[in-house]
Amino acid sequence: MASLQRPKGTLDHLPDGSPKIEPLTSARWHAFVVDAAKDVLERAGAAFVETPIFEAVDLVKRGVGGSTDIVRKEMFTVSYFEERDKFVLRPEGTASIVRAYLENGLKQLGSPLRLWTAGAMFRAENVQKGRYRQFHQVDYEVIGSADPIVDAEAIQLMVAVYARLGVKETTVKLGSVGDPQDREQYNAYLRELFGRHAERLSEDSKDRLVRNPMRILDSKSKDDQVLIDELQPKAMLDFLGDDARAHFSAVRSYLDAWGVKYEVDPSIVRGLDYYRRTAWEIHHDRIGAKSALGGGGRYDGLAEELGGAHTPAVGWAFGVERALLALEQEGVALPSADGPLLFVAALDEELLAAAAKVAMSVRAVGRAEFAVKARKPGAAAQDAAKKGARFLALLGSDEAARGSVSLKNLESGEVRDVPQANLNDILGGTR
Ligand code: AMP
């Protein structure tokens, strides 16, 4: 029988030392990225939230948009006997967070409310490097404020996470998708422009021409891209009304004031109806123009779309796997893992339980492991060195009779007899 394998487009996250390990498959690298984001975001006042991994199909349809590839082709639906196809494995986090905000009355926590989450997302995409079917995102959302300063801070925080990770070659591409009436005018312009060449558009884009012409601009189809290059459509930025223009320039002046670098990119489009004004992406110079590290935007219309009151909000998400590819490209080294504080070995079989008990009680002050078989002193020292332990405790019959261990400091080589009762004080004081 062929051995079983993980589903296509998924990754295992493995411990250090696993064969052929790379940042993408390293559990410690994944945790490193999420911990860095946690630190940066919580210092800015963001509270952690966690929502279910599956949600109602309707939430995803309304939250992500019926005309998107995600809803049209990439949903992993989950069904069970009587309620078939009712759920979908979440493809992104924003819709769920806004649902949770509305459903749980989080408005009472005050505005703006800064929230963050991290976890697995699911899209049945064509798998390639940097594009998986189960991937991980860090999400940050600020709910309840329409002020441009929160947009600018959101961008600053995204940049700060990458800086914390040690990734240097990032570029923020900033645009604006205007207000709904600005977008209507832009869509009318695009419909007219592309309408004259409708036969050359991909099937998906023919549909977009009717429903939402702006989405043609971020089509992945080659034919569409050729046509776009040829027609050189005007940009959304040329269609901003006075309010959206003022908001955009306010966001830019905050970023300038804080020294956050960005490029204005008129091609940034977020085609969904509930997006308003600020939209941006963060790219890495070496992982390809089409694979953004992350993206964000203001989505003032989403809460209403989900049946709630008008609630302005802005947020972003970045892909953990993409961050890991960027770290790898730049050769960022993961800080080495600490070994155990103590490794304990029994010198004969009858003392195994007692040696294990010593390790268990030292766990009150640090990481402590034990040999599961009796070891000779030399072999125990090798085990401890392999694990990178700082101390080795040997338990032989003499030590057991005295209620002590022979404790060796593996850095200095010093050995002394230490009562078991004093171990935690001694070892706890060495950190
Ligand atoms: P989106 O929700 O599509 O705006 O994606 C936000 C970020 O999530 C992207 O910039 C990527 O870093 C990451 N991402 C999206 N889809 C995938 C995928 N299939 N595999 C890996 N990362 C992804």
Side-chain angles (χ1 to χ4, degrees), residues 62-77:
R62 290 210 248 163
V64 179
S67 67
T68 56
D69 283 355
I70 293 181
V71 168
R72 288 155 53 97
K73 308 180 200 162
E74 298 170 359
M75 293 202 293
F76 278 105
T77 50

Side-chain angles (χ1 to χ4, degrees), residues 70 74 91-94 121-123 125-126 128 130-137 158 162 270 275 281-282 291-296 316-323:
I70 293 181
E74 298 170 359
E92 56 93 56
T94 308
M121 305 292 161
F122 305 86
R123 299 182 194 176
E125 303 209 58
N126 288 328
Q128 46 189 286
R131 197 168 287 284
Y132 306 96
R133 292 187 172 168
Q134 176 176 327
F135 60 99
H136 298 77
Q137 281 186 343
M158 199 170 190
Y162 275 96
R270 283 269 193 279
Y275 280 108
E281 288 173 358
I282 181 163
S291 30
L293 291 176
W316 53 250
F318 75 81
V320 174
E321 288 77 5
R322 298 271 170 91

Side-chain angles (χ1 to χ4, degrees), residues 123-260:
R123 299 182 194 176
E125 303 209 58
N126 288 328
V127 178
Q128 46 189 286
K129 193 158 180 125
R131 197 168 287 284
Y132 306 96
R133 292 187 172 168
Q134 176 176 327
F135 60 99
H136 298 77
Q137 281 186 343
V138 171
D139 249 278
Y140 170 73
E141 315 287 348
V142 194
I143 307 182
S145 170
D147 292 321
I149 196 165
V150 299
D151 308 37
E153 188 201 22
I155 297 169
Q156 183 273 336
L157 287 170
M158 199 170 190
V159 170
V161 171
Y162 275 96
R164 171 65 63 88
L165 290 173
V167 175
K168 298 197 177 70
E169 299 163 38
T170 56
T171 308
V172 173
K173 299 187 174 187
L174 180 65
S176 171
V177 296
D179 284 315
Q181 64 275 18
D182 307 337
R183 247 187 347 253
E184 251 168 55
Q185 286 187 18
Y186 188 47
N187 269 325
Y189 158 79
L190 291 176
R191 198 170 278 127
E192 221 272 307
L193 181 72
F194 286 109
R196 282 187 253 130
H197 307 273
E199 74 295 342
R200 290 179 56 194
L201 288 169
S202 68
E203 284 311 306
D204 282 346
S205 285
K206 284 189 181 117
D207 188 51
R208 292 177 183 129
L209 189 62
V210 182
R211 295 195 203 207
N212 196 343
M214 272 174 82
R215 297 221 54 249
I216 297 175
L217 302 177
D218 55 10
S219 163
K220 292 174 198 146
S221 140
K222 254 216 157 71
D223 291 343
D224 293 345
Q225 284 304 330
V226 169
L227 188 61
I228 293 165
D229 284 349
E230 209 174 292
L231 296 178
Q232 297 281 320
K234 285 197 222 167
M236 179 68 237
L237 281 183
D238 299 326
F239 286 75
L240 297 189
D242 291 345
D243 294 345
R245 191 174 298 280
H247 189 96
F248 188 51
S249 86
V251 172
R252 294 183 56 182
S253 29
Y254 286 122
L255 294 174
D256 294 340
W258 304 333
V260 177

